[in-house]
Structures are given as C-alpha cells and as structure tokens.
Amino acid sequence: MAHFLTDTTFAGGLTIPDYINHAGDSGTKFGFSANDTFVVRTGGSTRLTVADAASTFSGDVQAAGLYVGAINTSFDFYNNGTSYFNGTVEVDDSLRQTGGAASSFSGDLTV
C-alpha cells in the first residue's frame, strides 16, 4: 500500500479496481460498483448511485432553494424558485401556494 505525506500529482490517469475508502471509517467510501456505475456510501449504506441508465439517491437531497426528501415511498418537494417539470406531475394530497406570486399552467389542468 502506498502512503503519501504531501499532495500528489499524477501525470496520467489513475486506475482503481473498485473503491476509495476513508481511513479509519470502514462504512464510508466511493468508487465503482460495476461498469458505468459510480456510488457513494456512508454509514455502510449506498447513498448515491450514478449509472449510465439512471441515477438514484437514498435519504434527503438539499441544494440552494431546493429540497427533495424521501421518506419510505413518498417524496416531499420544496422549491424557493421556479420549477419546470417535463412530463406528468401527480399530486396525491394537495397543491398549495404561499406568498404573493402568481401561478401559471399550460396545457390541460384537471382540478
């Protein structure tokens, strides 16, 4: 096993067989679980999978102005800006707008 004490620069590519592990934390690593698949694991569970066909996450995802939460099989979506959806959007319970901005819809809308 190589151990580098300072920053290291590689002139070419770096090839790893599967994962890069966090020293002293066996439950945290990232790497390649299969061809064309990149995963991030924390706490011993896969939290993010990026594959050539699809990407998945486990738990909550947050970014500036956006929150997507996954609890069991339901998802909560909060956005502090403009949202664009390409395709069908189904609302199981209610659709509520707060604040003074106007809402607009194009195409068919069934209430």
Side-chain angles (χ1 to χ4, degrees):
M1 174 176 17
H3 184 86
F4 301 98
L5 298 176
T6 60
D7 292 343
T8 304
T9 302
F10 297 92
L14 173 66
T15 301
I16 63 169
D18 53 19
Y19 290 96
I20 295 176
N21 297 288
H22 184 217
D25 183 2
S26 62
T28 301
K29 60 186 176 180
F30 64 92
F32 310 95
S33 62
N35 288 341
D36 300 323
T37 305
F38 176 79
V39 298
V40 176
R41 293 177 58 88
T42 60
S45 297
T46 299
R47 306 298 180 179
L48 173 68
T49 301
V50 179
D52 61 343
S55 300
T56 59
F57 68 90
S58 171
D60 296 344
V61 174
Q62 296 185 45
L66 175 68
Y67 168 83
V68 179
I71 302 171
N72 298 325
T73 58
S74 65
F75 292 88
D76 300 315
F77 177 79
Y78 305 96
N79 185 5
N80 294 329
T82 302
S83 300
Y84 298 96
F85 299 98
N86 294 320
T88 302
V89 176
E90 293 185 23
V91 179
D92 293 342
D93 187 14
S94 64
L95 182 63
R96 179 178 56 141
Q97 176 179 325
T98 60
S103 296
S104 63
F105 300 91
S106 63
D108 295 335
L109 177 64
T110 302
V111 181

